[in-house]
Amino acid sequence: MNEQSSFFPSLPESSSVTSQAPSPAGAPRVLTAQRNQIALRAVDLEATVGLEHAVRNVWAFVERLDLSALYGEIGSVEGRAGRAAIDPKILMALWLYATVDAVGSAREIERLTETHDAYRWICGGVNVNYHTLSDFRCARVDVLDELLSESVAVLVNKGLVKLARVAQDGMRVRASAGSASFRRRSTLELCLKQARAQVQALKGEIDTDPNASNRRWRAARERAAREREERLAQALEQLAEVEKQKNKKKAVAKKENETEEQYRKRSQPRASSTDAEARVMKMADGGFRPAYNVQLASTPDSQIIVGVDVNNCGSDGGQLSPMLEQVRGRYQQRPAEWLADGGFASDTDIEDAHRGGTTVYAPVRHPRNSSRDRYVALPDDSEALAQWRQRMGSEAAKEIYKQRAATAECVNAIARGRGLSQFLVRGLNKVKAVALWYALAHNLMRAVTLTQPA
């Protein structure tokens, strides 16, 4: 008996849950709970969610999307044999509503489709398993990217979003890999050799095993070993890129009382055997963890996300120009003003933006010489850099720059609140798919707010 059960009086041994003795004459007559009784109930799914429920906005948004690319991949067609596929609208709506509801697990969504009214309303009697949901989430990143462009373009045409001024910010999101998974080349090569040997051994067991009932279990083991072998091979490929980047950087400083052997091991580049494309980054709390750098561009007037990118660079330097070109390519319009924090203010990006006709509002770095005015142009500054320094010293520019924190930081905070604190998928392609889901869900809810009557 546990500690909690000791607080409740025990029933007499003669008592029974399923049967009760007849009550004596004059005793109170009451209706008791019969929880072992099977009951059949008629359920009206349409009545389970209110007319103003957020799930109805999600479904209305999905119905307006062009999902022809997803329907074109369905192999089962009318007039031919085969099991009918799940409507892509259902899968799209499930992931969008789950993202708004801060649910990021396919298994959790499957459970909710059986217990939660909103998720059951989306399914409308269609059974959805977690494997289908997981595959659909990251299968077509190009479709998600195009849907982002098309949905924002509709808002631009309606005058709800203006691209004249855009704010950019980056956020580090924890990767689905542990710090202990980062290993040196010698360790990765040894693990790869062992993984290949294990795969060959499991293949031999499957081919020679006469017990057919265990073949499926053995095949699953062989598949898991093969996937591990692929991850290790990918880690070795990524290690070459890590070594190239490390050679460009300043040599790692040697710690006090550190031996040459300890210093040599610590300075060797490493790659993760779990997620080869993840990198150790400095997080917002000051710690270092495996993560990805998610870049979001949004409009200050409406807080609509107009650009999404994901990379494995721990710095925001050099990220301004790619995002600026992405926004221009998406909407065939180049923003006149671009707001970014000091981490984005590289000389090259400012000059590139100036040549394209975009004015950058980013804080000027503090000079090493504290007596020098940072808003005064340096002798070797280009025209773009000189104008940038002078511009950021004005009160008007400082007022404009304040909109960045009110926009980009707010968008990041909303994404964090919806669960974008750690990715549950691995690899840059899948991670970008998840980031696009968050952008689509965010824009959906912002569009509902913008279109409501004042």
Side-chain angles (χ1 to χ4, degrees):
M1 180 180 295
N2 56 33
E3 184 178 352
Q4 184 178 3
S5 63
S6 63
F7 290 99
F8 300 94
S10 58
L11 294 173
E13 294 183 0
S14 60
S15 65
S16 174
V17 177
T18 58
S19 63
Q20 294 182 348
S23 301
R29 185 168 62 246
V30 296
L31 296 175
T32 59
Q34 300 293 330
R35 298 183 180 87
N36 60 345
Q37 178 66 42
I38 299 176
L40 298 178
R41 298 179 180 178
V43 178
D44 180 11
L45 286 176
E46 189 64 23
T48 56
V49 295
L51 296 178
E52 302 298 326
H53 200 285
V55 72
R56 293 186 181 272
N57 294 325
V58 172
W59 186 256
F61 172 76
V62 171
E63 284 190 317
R64 296 187 182 96
L65 297 177
D66 181 11
L67 304 180
S68 56
L70 300 179
Y71 283 101
E73 295 180 342
I74 297 177
S76 56
V77 295
E78 296 292 344
R80 296 182 183 178
R83 183 179 180 181
I86 299 175
D87 191 344
K89 289 182 181 178
I90 295 177
L91 300 175
M92 179 71 66
L94 282 173
W95 272 117
L96 283 175
Y97 184 73
T99 304
V100 173
D101 200 28
V103 177
S105 168
R107 292 179 184 270
E108 178 65 12
I109 295 176
E110 181 188 8
R111 187 188 68 81
L112 290 171
T113 57
E114 300 172 356
T115 59
H116 195 286
D117 287 339
Y119 292 86
R120 290 194 299 168
W121 184 86
I122 293 175
C123 292
V126 178
N127 293 325
V128 181
N129 62 69
Y130 77 91
H131 204 292
T132 301
L133 287 165
S134 181
D135 291 344
F136 181 83
R137 186 184 199 184
C138 304
R140 292 297 301 271
V141 182
D142 57 331
V143 173
L144 296 176
D145 194 75
E146 186 63 26
L147 290 176
L148 176 64
S149 300
E150 293 175 356
S151 58
V152 173
V154 171
L155 297 176
V156 172
N157 293 333
K158 290 183 177 181
L160 298 173
V161 175
K162 297 179 177 61
L163 295 174
R165 181 178 294 168
V166 174
Q168 180 182 358
D169 197 18
M171 57 188 302
R172 313 296 187 270
V173 182
R174 180 74 183 270
S176 181
S179 300
S181 67
F182 283 78
R183 303 180 180 183
R184 304 179 186 89
R185 177 175 293 277
S186 57
T187 307
L188 288 173
E189 290 175 347
L190 177 61
C191 291
L192 179 60
K193 182 179 179 181
Q194 295 173 349
R196 286 174 175 169
Q198 184 181 11
V199 169
Q200 294 300 323
L202 289 172
K203 284 182 177 179
E205 290 182 11
I206 294 174
D207 294 337
T208 58
D209 183 18
N211 189 357
S213 62
N214 290 331
R215 288 182 63 83
R216 186 173 182 179
W217 174 73
R218 293 182 183 274
R221 289 180 58 201
E222 190 269 336
R223 183 177 64 253
R226 185 176 66 253
E227 291 174 353
R228 181 171 182 268
E229 177 189 355
E230 293 172 355
R231 290 197 304 269
L232 289 168
Q234 188 180 10
L236 282 170
E237 294 176 2
Q238 289 292 318
L239 191 62
E241 183 66 23
V242 175
E243 291 171 345
K244 185 188 300 182
Q245 293 176 358
K246 198 161 189 175
N247 291 334
K248 295 180 181 179
K249 297 180 180 180
K250 187 178 179 181
V252 180
K254 185 177 180 180
K255 295 181 180 180
E256 188 177 358
N257 300 327
E258 187 177 31
T259 64
E260 289 295 333
E261 180 66 18
Q262 292 173 337
Y263 171 71
R264 185 183 64 80
K265 288 184 177 181
R266 185 172 61 85
S267 60
Q268 287 181 355
R270 306 182 186 189
S272 172
S273 58
T274 304
D275 187 352
E277 294 181 303
R279 299 289 183 270
V280 176
M281 301 180 185
K282 187 174 183 179
M283 309 299 284
D285 60 359
F288 290 84
R289 302 181 189 90
Y292 285 97
N293 187 352
V294 179
Q295 297 287 323
L296 300 176
S298 53
T299 54
D301 58 337
S302 57
Q303 292 188 2
I304 290 290
I305 298 175
V306 297
V308 177
D309 196 14
V310 179
N311 58 69
N312 54 11
C313 179
S315 171
D316 290 331
Q319 306 300 326
L320 192 151
S321 292
M323 182 61 75
L324 181 57
E325 288 302 315
Q326 181 189 137
V327 172
R328 185 195 62 79
R330 283 182 184 273
Y331 314 107
Q332 304 305 312
Q333 180 179 344
R334 192 178 184 92
E337 298 175 341
W338 196 270
L339 282 58
D341 63 28
F344 293 88
S346 67
D347 295 350
T348 303
D349 286 343
I350 294 174
E351 291 172 345
D352 290 344
H354 177 77
R355 282 192 292 268
T358 300
T359 302
V360 175
Y361 290 88
V364 181
R365 293 179 293 273
H366 289 278
R368 295 180 180 178
N369 184 4
S370 58
S371 62
R372 183 176 68 81
D373 186 357
R374 57 176 171 163
Y375 300 117
V376 176
L378 297 176
D380 57 346
D381 276 349
S382 62
E383 179 184 358
L385 293 176
Q387 291 180 4
W388 165 61
R389 294 181 189 275
Q390 183 180 4
R391 177 173 60 250
M392 293 310 299
S394 65
E395 292 300 323
K398 292 177 181 179
E399 287 298 319
I400 293 175
Y401 179 72
K402 288 180 180 179
Q403 297 182 20
R404 188 206 67 84
T407 303
E409 298 293 346
C410 181
V411 170
N412 288 355
I414 293 174
R416 296 285 191 191
R418 289 181 176 145
L420 192 58
S421 56
Q422 181 173 5
F423 289 113
L424 301 180
V425 296
R426 296 165 181 163
L428 272 171
N429 193 57
K430 292 184 177 181
V431 165
K432 185 177 180 180
V434 174
L436 286 168
W437 281 111
Y438 275 92
L440 288 169
H442 173 88
N443 288 354
L444 163 62
M445 302 311 294
R446 286 300 303 158
V448 172
T449 303
L450 293 173
T451 53
Q452 286 179 348

